[in-house]
Amino acid sequence: MSSIAVKKGFASTVWEYLTTVDHKKIAHLYLGAGGFFFLLGGIEAMFIRIQLMKPQNNFVNEQLFNEIMTMHGTTMIFLAAMPLLFAFMNAVVPLQIGARDVAFPFLNALGFWLFFWGGIFLNLSWFLGGAPDAGWTSYASLSLRSEGHGIDFYTLGIQISGFGTLMSGINFLATIITMRAPGMSFMRMPLFTWTTFIASSLILMAFPPLTISIFFLMFDRLFGSAFFDVTMGGNTIIWEHFFWIFGHPEVYILILPAFGIFSEIIPTFSRKRLFGYSSMVFATILIGFLGFMVWAHHMFTTGLGNVANAIFAVATMAIAVPTGIKIFNWLFTMWGGSIKISVPMLYALGFIPSFVMGGVTGVMQAAAPLDYQLHDTYFIVAHFHYVIIGGVVFAILAATHFYWPKMFGKMLSEKLGYVTFAFFFVGFHMTFFVQHFLGLMGMPRRVATFLPNQGFDLYNFISSMGAFFMAIGVIVLLVNVVVTSLKKERVGNDPWQDGRTMEWALSSPPVYYNFKQIPLVRGQDTWWIEKMEGKDELTPSEPLQDIHMPNNSIIPFFIALGLFIAAFGAMYNPLNSVGDGHPMGTVVLILGLALMFGSMLVRSIRDDLGYYIPKEDVENDAKGGKVS
């Protein structure tokens, strides 16, 4: 079965990706869909910066500006950054721990399709009466009074995507706990696997509050309940608590895998073992723990009182300590190393000062009196973009160059990579560094325009020019991807020559069952140990034997599609509070739920035991046979 020829033709390729449960192909899906939403969010960001390029600009009106700003933040956080990180988690983590796939391949596919259809549903709002307009945080005081269905698209779309994210987090937890190769103790796991493990734990605990609060908001909007409506006895501040109990751990759900990516890149290109491995692990755990104790620093200005403000201020200051440990360990890893400059390493070198700047301005906000002055200014915009772009997006771009050859068997152009880095890095600092000064001068955030002669003109113009630089960098990256895809040159197992972890021992891309024999892990940096002993493959922990693999399935696609259809029925139900319900709304809701539950029923009653690859075929593959 494993030696059949690769399928040809567009239709068969599409069918393969629609039905795949292979973690590597699901990584491709996440990378493609997340990249699409990243471009969409970037276009929205360009609209924002064009509008603010000069005083009293009328490039877009105030209502459209609110919609663009809301969709930019929502898209970038929920539909771009997280899925792109999931792409690299799917591509790399099972290989790093010596597994043949994730613990639940079917659930892995379902998680992707739920994210995808939720993202499509949210963005259809542009064509069906208007996008969400209450900010990416969708505070209830604004969202309950938003006209049209924009907020309904938000609640239903984020809910669907959130189900997929929660499934993926649980899947990675189960995979890392139960599927590590013999000898792979927790304290031998690569840092990217560790950060995936902690981030998945945060997903497990942080997403339920978001799910509950959005569910309540959806009922307030569609069915006239009063969880957040103060005129009917509700409490609008509770929304902020629910949202930020999710929202601040969400920052670490994003930044911890980014830390893990740089913890793989820096040792590789420093040709040196990661300094202070144990302290890095415990710092990661501590960040995950403290991440749940700082949420109310987003709410200093809501009047919680001095005691609450002081408690959350101290916790916010404390979380800087484990982060500082990581920064110094990366610097000590490079210290005395034989550093090789490459595109991934350039992003790592650019990340450290950029992220430190974002972290320092975050600790500044721990001082509640200062936060009162800066909370609704562009200083905060500068701060969180230094964290999210200077940390997360830099890591995504670094990982794209670092893991592309392992995922696709081809190397992205280093020359074009340098051009992308130069434009993006310079443009990033041009865009957001001056926004600190705009905030200190009093420019409020979330405003569609500003008056002349307030001192904002030059800085806003510089910021907008920087955004164009970043856009050029992304365009060059797209050109790089296209040019690389057209080339026929293939790379070997370890294209960077200095890979340390097990994924670099496998072919590029790996065969679909990953390992012909599950490896034996004899220490940290498993592949480096084998190379130092002169070996060209991993030491096996088992004899060569038949390999069990799961069957592909179209059912995850249909389960997610059913929920997507049902969401339209829920939004246009005859009882909705907007007053434009349709009698067919209930029918569409029932049809969508029928498709979803019917697909689940088929999955439940059908025996799907997978299949076995004979060990003879595995031997043929190892000798150069073609795999599908």
Side-chain angles (χ1 to χ4, degrees):
M1 180 127 192
S2 65
S3 297
I4 58 175
V6 176
K7 294 178 181 177
K8 308 230 182 212
F10 178 76
S12 58
T13 301
V14 170
W15 179 252
E16 174 71 17
Y17 276 98
L18 285 175
T19 60
T20 188
V21 296
D22 178 6
H23 72 96
K24 297 178 291 299
K25 285 192 170 69
I26 290 171
H28 298 170
L29 290 170
Y30 270 117
L31 193 63
F36 168 75
F37 287 122
F38 181 80
L39 293 176
L40 208 56
I43 292 169
E44 290 157 354
M46 292 305 301
F47 275 86
I48 292 171
R49 285 318 318 166
I50 292 171
Q51 170 67 12
L52 294 172
M53 185 181 292
K54 66 178 184 178
Q56 295 183 300
N57 199 359
N58 59 359
F59 181 71
V60 296
N61 61 41
E62 287 83 352
Q63 175 61 26
L64 183 55
F65 182 88
N66 288 342
E67 294 176 8
I68 292 170
M69 183 192 68
T70 300
M71 287 296 288
H72 165 68
T74 305
T75 299
M76 284 302 198
I77 296 293
F78 290 105
L79 306 179
M82 289 189 68
L84 287 169
L85 291 170
F86 274 142
F88 298 113
M89 291 179 190
N90 268 289
V92 176
V93 168
L95 306 181
Q96 286 194 335
I97 64 173
R100 291 214 163 92
D101 208 314
V102 295
F104 305 110
F106 181 92
L107 207 63
N108 200 18
L110 179 58
F112 168 76
W113 288 115
L114 285 169
F115 141 71
F116 177 78
W117 283 118
I120 294 297
F121 183 86
L122 179 60
N123 279 277
L124 284 175
S125 61
W126 288 115
F127 310 103
L128 296 172
D133 58 0
W136 83 278
T137 58
S138 202
Y139 281 176
S141 50
L142 292 172
S143 55
L144 287 180
R145 285 154 184 79
S146 174
E147 298 179 359
H149 281 295
I151 301 299
D152 303 326
F153 277 103
Y154 176 96
T155 58
L156 292 162
I158 297 300
Q159 197 82 293
I160 295 169
S161 285
F163 289 151
T165 302
L166 189 57
M167 287 179 186
S168 297
I170 294 169
N171 208 347
F172 280 115
L173 282 175
T175 301
I176 294 169
I177 291 171
T178 65
M179 298 187 68
R180 287 167 287 127
M184 176 67 79
S185 66
F186 274 99
M187 294 307 289
R188 286 179 175 177
M189 291 197 313
L191 250 295
F192 184 51
T193 299
W194 255 114
T195 55
T196 298
F197 180 69
I198 300 300
S200 299
S201 303
L202 297 183
I203 288 171
L204 181 63
M205 292 180 280
F207 264 78
L210 177 71
T211 302
I212 292 166
S213 59
I214 290 183
F215 195 79
F216 286 169
L217 182 61
M218 178 180 72
F219 265 69
D220 278 10
R221 291 272 310 175
L222 296 180
F223 303 109
S225 60
F227 293 105
F228 303 119
D229 190 342
V230 293
T231 65
M232 298 174 66
N235 187 336
T236 189
I237 297 297
I238 291 297
W239 165 269
E240 294 187 40
H241 280 292
F242 271 128
F243 187 88
W244 288 117
I245 287 170
F246 150 80
H248 203 87
E250 167 69 7
V251 174
Y252 300 108
I253 291 169
L254 296 177
I255 202 65
L256 285 177
F259 286 170
I261 288 166
F262 288 122
S263 296
E264 303 296 331
I265 289 172
I266 290 173
T268 297
F269 295 104
S270 298
R271 298 186 179 94
K272 186 180 168 191
R273 185 176 177 177
L274 182 68
F275 182 91
Y277 172 87
S278 298
S279 64
M280 291 289 266
V281 169
F282 288 113
T284 303
I285 296 170
L286 190 56
I287 288 172
F289 175 73
L290 291 174
F292 280 97
M293 301 172 65
V294 298
W295 83 84
H297 70 213
H298 295 272
M299 300 171 60
F300 282 159
T301 57
T302 59
L304 298 179
N306 292 337
V307 174
N309 284 0
I311 290 169
F312 284 99
V314 170
T316 302
M317 295 174 189
I319 205 166
V321 175
T323 307
I325 290 171
K326 286 180 169 290
I327 297 292
F328 282 108
N329 280 0
W330 289 320
L331 293 173
F332 289 143
T333 302
M334 289 185 276
W335 183 270
S338 177
I339 295 177
K340 174 184 175 184
I341 297 298
S342 65
V343 174
M345 191 62 175
L346 271 180
Y347 281 108
L349 294 171
F351 150 77
I352 291 177
S354 303
F355 182 77
V356 167
M357 288 176 66
V360 167
T361 54
V363 174
M364 289 168 63
Q365 300 308 307
L370 180 64
D371 185 74
Y372 269 73
Q373 300 299 315
L374 299 178
H375 185 83
D376 270 324
T377 72
Y378 258 77
F379 191 92
I380 301 298
V381 178
H383 154 65
F384 68 68
H385 281 89
Y386 262 85
V387 171
I388 299 299
I389 298 182
V392 180
V393 177
F394 277 21
I396 289 169
L397 294 173
T400 300
H401 285 270
F402 189 55
Y403 287 120
W404 192 273
K406 183 54 59 180
M407 292 174 71
F408 298 101
K410 298 180 180 181
M411 185 80 78
L412 288 174
S413 165
E414 286 280 284
K415 290 182 179 178
L416 289 177
Y418 293 140
V419 174
T420 294
F421 173 80
F423 275 104
F424 198 87
F425 185 78
V426 172
F428 161 67
H429 284 283
M430 277 182 66
T431 302
F432 297 107
F433 185 73
V434 295
Q435 290 183 7
H436 292 101
F437 302 106
L438 283 170
L440 291 170
M441 293 163 65
M443 181 174 173
R445 52 183 171 146
R446 311 187 189 96
V447 292
T449 189
F450 57 94
L451 294 172
N453 303 319
Q454 292 182 293
F456 302 157
D457 306 26
L458 177 61
Y459 287 151
N460 270 299
F461 181 78
I462 293 171
S463 187
S464 295
M465 287 297 101
F468 281 104
F469 273 60
M470 294 170 73
I472 293 170
V474 173
I475 291 169
V476 173
L477 176 60
L478 293 176
V479 171
N480 197 349
V481 168
V482 172
V483 169
T484 301
S485 301
L486 296 176
K487 288 184 178 178
K488 295 183 179 179
E489 301 172 15
R490 312 295 294 186
V491 297
N493 297 7
D494 190 1
W496 302 109
Q497 281 83 52
D498 295 299
R500 308 182 71 85
T501 46
M502 283 196 286
E503 69 269 28
W504 304 110
L506 303 174
S507 61
S508 301
V511 293
Y512 66 101
Y513 47 81
N514 294 349
F515 300 91
K516 66 176 182 177
Q517 296 160 281
I518 298 298
L520 177 67
V521 177
R522 298 189 292 142
Q524 292 174 24
D525 294 342
T526 308
W527 177 228
W528 188 262
I529 292 172
E530 304 288 0
K531 286 195 293 186
M532 292 302 99
E533 294 181 359
K535 298 178 181 177
D536 59 1
E537 61 180 24
L538 296 167
T539 300
S541 67
E542 62 180 9
L544 189 64
Q545 54 192 345
D546 296 348
I547 296 174
H548 179 260
M549 295 297 291
N551 288 316
N552 285 355
S553 176
I554 193 65
I555 294 176
F557 178 86
F558 282 121
I559 292 175
L561 179 62
L563 200 54
F564 170 79
I565 294 169
F568 281 103
M571 191 163 63
Y572 292 107
N573 80 86
L575 300 176
N576 77 40
S577 56
V578 178
D580 65 347
H582 194 280
M584 288 299 292
T586 304
V587 176
V588 172
L589 175 62
I590 293 171
L591 288 175
L593 292 176
L595 177 59
M596 181 182 74
F597 287 117
S599 301
M600 293 167 68
L601 180 64
V602 171
R603 170 69 179 175
S604 300
I605 63 177
R606 180 181 168 212
D607 286 332
D608 186 357
L609 304 177
Y611 62 93
Y612 281 91
I613 305 169
K615 62 181 180 181
E616 294 79 14
D617 286 355
V618 178
E619 284 182 307
N620 291 336
D621 292 341
K623 294 173 183 175
K626 191 69 174 174
V627 297
S628 61

